[in-house]
Amino acid sequence: QVQLVESGGGLVQAGDSLRLSCLDSGRTLSHYAMGWFRQAPGKEREFVSSINLSGCATSYAGSVKGRFTISRDNAKNTVCLQMNSLKPEDTAVYYCAAGSRWDSILTHEYAYWGQGTQVTVSS
């Protein structure tokens, strides 16, 4: 059973960095493609980044490419999102998700979700 818990969110200033982590306490993370999504107030949940089972293939939304890096450690049942050069428009609740297709940007392709962690970037 996949049980995802995100951590690492917080309040930072524009230009700062944050590192989000997602732990699968069910210890099945190695069986799934993983993704990060975010949802800002009044907006739909949107794709941020994804990674395949082995970690050798990744995908990014255009708005974060070059600033965010996704990684995974299957031995530790963890997927991380390193976020650099943060902008106020990155403010959102960030969710990690597990699914079968690493190259999907669609929320319904991911079967399991964490509860989210708030990231707030002040200008």
Side-chain angles (χ1 to χ4, degrees), residues 69-106:
T69 303
I70 191 171
S71 62
R72 68 188 297 162
D73 185 336
N74 288 337
K76 296 181 179 179
N77 293 286
T78 301
V79 62
C80 293
L81 185 69
Q82 177 68 41
M83 305 186 296
N84 298 329
S85 302
L86 283 162
K87 304 176 181 180
E89 51 263 45
D90 294 319
T91 295
V93 177
Y94 282 71
Y95 300 89
C96 70
S100 58
R101 288 187 55 187
W102 76 272
D103 58 347
S104 176
I105 66 171
L106 302 176

